[in-house]
Amino acid sequence: MKNVRITGATAGIGRDTALWLARRGHRVFATGRDRAALAALEQEASGLALETLALDVTSAESIAEAVRQVGERTEGRGLDVLVNNAGYATVGPLAELSDATLRAQFDTNVFGLMAVTRAFLPAMFAKRSGRVVNVSSVSGRIPAPLLGAYHATKYALEALSDALRMELQPFGIDVAIVEPGTIKTSFGDRVLRELAREQLPDSRYASIYARADDLRRSFDLVASSARPVVRAITHAAESRRPCTRYVAPRRFWLLIALVGLFPTRLVDLVMRASFGLTRRALTS
């Protein structure tokens, strides 16, 4: 049994992973900001070694309190595995995103993740063992329009994870990256809400905002269940020698390979067409 902490465990991949690992016999500390969702998760996990804790990854006070509670509940042992899953996607053309919006995206997806990681590392250093599993995205390998802010945070997470892996390995701490593809979760609903919130009244991209429902349907056509991602996180958490990277579902390896194989201008053309970013659409 391992002591596992999962951030962003109130919905989607984080919630499914928390329940799955608890059913496999691990002691899971599931965290998130939505207290009602945490209460519902704890009720569903009745009889399992799953405990919930409120955590805002952008709050130093909240992180410190979470570390204190985990230390207290594990009698000072701390975590064996930290799964950094909390995150969200800001949607909108970069030319129209405010500084505050861009900073908020990085505060959660990058700075918050690193703050949580640093806070839980001392216990791993002390026992010279541990595992950090960072849930990144295929978006950290393949750029796309309208999601530039989100993709930028995942590109950053890829580099941070690689550096962390090399820095922590001498202390017996391993780092693995899980890169989900398009997954059927509430993530897509939040993306649409973000798209509506960020639209400017006189946006040059009004025709793209008008196609939001069409974009969502395209998203749903290629989306997979969260099960492959949960399995990848489980392997990363349990294996004696985890992979450095997991792409889930595996078919997205092909997409990554194709993007790397074809000329950048051609990839740009396909991406623009997919999102309706054509001169005719934007000037009509």
Side-chain angles (χ1 to χ4, degrees):
M1 183 183 74
K2 297 179 183 293
N3 293 325
V4 184
R5 184 180 186 85
I6 304 174
T7 66
T10 55
I13 291 169
R15 192 178 195 278
D16 290 351
T17 302
L19 289 168
W20 179 249
L21 290 177
R23 289 172 183 141
R24 289 178 66 83
H26 300 294
R27 185 179 186 184
V28 176
F29 297 95
T31 67
R33 293 188 300 179
D34 188 334
R35 293 180 183 273
L38 289 174
L41 173 60
E42 194 158 12
Q43 184 175 7
E44 184 175 346
S46 178
L48 300 174
L50 186 149
E51 305 168 47
T52 59
L53 294 170
L55 174 64
D56 179 352
V57 301
T58 64
S59 165
E61 294 78 10
S62 180
I63 294 171
E65 176 60 17
V67 172
R68 186 194 68 78
Q69 289 197 41
V70 169
E72 186 178 276
R73 297 185 192 189
T74 61
E75 299 180 344
R77 176 176 172 79
L79 296 180
D80 299 302
V81 180
L82 170 63
V83 180
N84 286 312
N85 172 70
Y88 73 98
T90 290
V91 188
L94 288 169
E96 296 183 353
L97 291 184
S98 67
D99 285 348
T101 296
L102 193 57
R103 287 194 179 97
Q105 177 76 108
F106 273 82
D107 278 344
T108 295
N109 291 14
V110 179
F111 300 124
L113 179 147
M114 286 304 303
V116 170
T117 301
R118 286 193 301 270
F120 282 99
L121 279 177
M124 296 184 184
F125 281 131
K127 60 191 177 187
R128 298 187 70 84
S129 69
R131 186 73 48 81
V132 178
V133 181
N134 289 331
V135 180
S136 178
S137 171
V138 169
S139 299
R141 310 263 216 116
I142 304 172
L146 304 183
L147 286 159
Y150 173 68
H151 283 241
T153 64
K154 295 305 182 180
Y155 269 74
L157 180 53
E158 295 284 325
L160 290 168
S161 299
D162 284 337
L164 269 176
R165 186 178 59 256
M166 291 183 277
E167 294 166 356
L168 298 180
Q169 194 277 332
F171 300 96
I173 304 168
D174 211 339
V175 178
I177 308 169
V178 176
E179 301 171 336
T182 307
I183 305 299
K184 293 176 182 176
T185 67
S186 57
F187 185 85
D189 294 328
R190 181 163 184 174
V191 164
L192 286 183
R193 289 197 299 271
E194 286 286 321
L195 189 63
R197 185 173 66 85
E198 293 297 333
Q199 182 177 4
L200 298 178
D202 56 348
S203 173
R204 295 179 177 86
Y205 298 88
S207 64
I208 306 303
Y209 288 104
R211 294 184 62 246
D213 288 337
D214 292 335
L215 292 174
R216 174 57 192 271
R217 280 191 286 271
S218 299
F219 176 95
D220 288 341
L221 285 174
V222 297
S224 166
S225 76
R227 184 174 299 176
V229 185
V230 173
R231 288 176 176 169
I233 295 173
T234 300
H235 189 275
E238 294 181 343
S239 174
R240 293 184 63 185
R241 188 175 178 81
C243 301
T244 57
R245 275 177 172 76
Y246 298 80
V247 174
R250 292 180 180 177
R251 69 172 185 267
F252 281 91
W253 274 119
L254 177 60
L255 181 59
I256 292 170
L258 289 174
V259 169
L261 179 64
F262 290 113
T264 301
R265 295 289 185 185
L266 178 58
V267 174
D268 287 354
L269 178 63
V270 172
M271 285 291 187
R272 290 200 310 270
S274 298
F275 282 82
L277 286 166
T278 63
R279 184 170 298 182
R280 177 179 295 180
L282 295 176
T283 56
S284 60

